[in-house]
Amino acid sequence: MKTHKLAVIAGDGIGPEVLAEGIKVLKKVEALDGKMKFDFTHFPWGCEYYANHGKMMADDGMDQLKKFEAIYLGAVGFPGVPDHVSLRELLLKIRKGFDQYVNIRPVQLLEGAPCPLKDVKREDVDMIVIRENSEGEYAGAGDWLFKGKPEEVVLQTGVFSRKGTERIIRYAYELARKEKKTLTSISKANALNYSMVFWDQVFEEVGKEYPEVKTASYLVDAAAMFFVKQPQRFQIVVTSNLFGDIITDLGAAIAGGMGLAAGANVNPERLHPSMFEPIHGSAPDIAGKGIANPLAAIWSASQMLDFFGYDDWGKAVLKSVEKVMVEKKTLTPDLGGTSTTSEVGDAVIAALAEI
C-alpha cells in the first residue's frame, strides 16, 4: 500500500471547516481504492498562532514541512493581522521556499454550476491558467525611502529572471502539447516596457520549439474583456504572478463563484512538497457558521489526487461534485441552498461511493 504523507495547515476563518470536508473525501477515496493511504499531520499555524506567538509559523516550520509529499492549506488571513504579514510569512514563504513556481488554477464550468454570463455553453468555459508563482510582481523587491516625510517614495520592483520566465512558459507549452490545446500568453508589453517585453520575447523564443502548439497573445486588459465576452478563446493560459492572481478570480466569477475556485502550487521536479488550496480566502464574516462552501477545498483535493497520479480518482471526485450541484438538494447558501458545510461534504462522499 502506497502511503502519502500530507501536512495539513487549516489556517484561518473558514479554512478549518472546508478543509475538514476535503479530508473526508480523501479518506473516502482511500477506503474505496484500498491500495493507497493518506497520513495527515496537522499544524496550527496561521493568524491565531501569530496572535499567540508573534509569528505565522514556527521558526523551524519549513524544516518540518519539507518531510511531507504535499501540503493541504485551508485559508490565510484574519482581522487584526495585516494582510501583507499573513500572506508573506506563511503562504508566500511556503511557495517560494519550496520553489512551487507553477500555480495551476482550473477555470472550468462544472455541470450544475451557476454562470453569470448569457448565452454561454458549459464547454465555452474550460481553461487552465498557468500562473508564474515564484517571482514577478510578488517578489517583494523594492524600497521605502524617506518614510513619513513629504518626499516619501516607494519602489515596488517586479522581478523577471530568464530562468523563472522560461520555465513557467515552457511548462505551459508542454501542457498545451500534451493536452492538444491552444496556448495563450497574457502580458502588458505596451505599458511595461521591460518586464512584459521580455516576457513576450521569451514566449516567442520557447514557442519555436513547439511548432504544433497554436498560440495567441493578449494584453491583460483585453484578455479580461474576452474572459467575459468570449471565454471560449482560452484553453491553456500562461501569465505572470500578478496578472494570474487577478484573472483567475475573474475566471472563478464566471465559473460558479469563489466557492468553486481551487488552486495547486506545484514544484514539478518534486524536490520539495507541493501545496493545494481553495483560493476563496478565509471569509472571517461567515467563519464558524457552518455555511462555507467546501467544494473548492474538495476540488483542490482532486488536484492533489491528479498530482499523485490518481487521475481516475481525481476525475471521480469532480464528477461527484457535479452530481451534487446538478441534484441541487445539498448546497450551501452561496449556491442557493440551505445545507451546511458538513452536509455538502457528506453528499459528495455519497455520490463518490456510487461512481
Side-chain angles (χ1 to χ4, degrees), residues 42 56 64 72 90 101 112 138 159 183 211 225 257 278 281 316 326 338 345:
H42 295 258
M56 289 294 295
Q64 293 186 52
Y72 196 20
L90 184 63
Y101 63 88
Y138 291 6
V159 176
L183 175 61
M225 176 187 69
V326 168
T338 58

Side-chain angles (χ1 to χ4, degrees), residues 87-104:
L87 180 70
R88 288 204 166 272
E89 293 189 13
L90 184 63
L91 183 63
L92 292 188
K93 186 173 183 178
I94 293 172
R95 285 179 179 174
K96 292 182 179 181
F98 290 140
D99 203 19
Q100 297 168 351
Y101 63 88
V102 177
N103 185 249
I104 304 171

Side-chain angles (χ1 to χ4, degrees), residues 149-169:
K149 297 180 179 180
E151 61 269 31
E152 191 168 25
V153 175
V154 294
L155 305 172
Q156 192 77 48
T157 304
V159 176
F160 289 80
S161 68
R162 164 66 66 170
K163 175 184 176 181
T165 304
E166 185 172 308
R167 68 183 180 178
I168 194 65
I169 288 174

Side-chain angles (χ1 to χ4, degrees), residues 105-163:
R105 293 194 177 178
V107 178
Q108 180 182 352
L109 187 59
L110 299 180
E111 190 174 358
C115 180
L117 304 181
K118 289 197 322 180
D119 304 321
V120 169
K121 301 185 292 292
R122 189 164 67 90
E123 56 269 26
D124 289 341
V125 184
D126 188 5
M127 64 185 91
I128 298 175
V129 179
I130 303 300
R131 166 191 171 196
E132 203 289 316
N133 210 32
S134 64
E135 51 179 41
E137 304 87 352
Y138 291 6
D143 207 346
W144 198 318
L145 307 174
F146 312 113
K147 199 169 186 177
K149 297 180 179 180
E151 61 269 31
E152 191 168 25
V153 175
V154 294
L155 305 172
Q156 192 77 48
T157 304
V159 176
F160 289 80
S161 68
R162 164 66 66 170
K163 175 184 176 181

Side-chain angles (χ1 to χ4, degrees), residues 219-230:
L219 300 176
V220 66
D221 43 350
M225 176 187 69
F226 287 131
F227 259 52
V228 174
K229 296 182 70 68
Q230 297 175 7

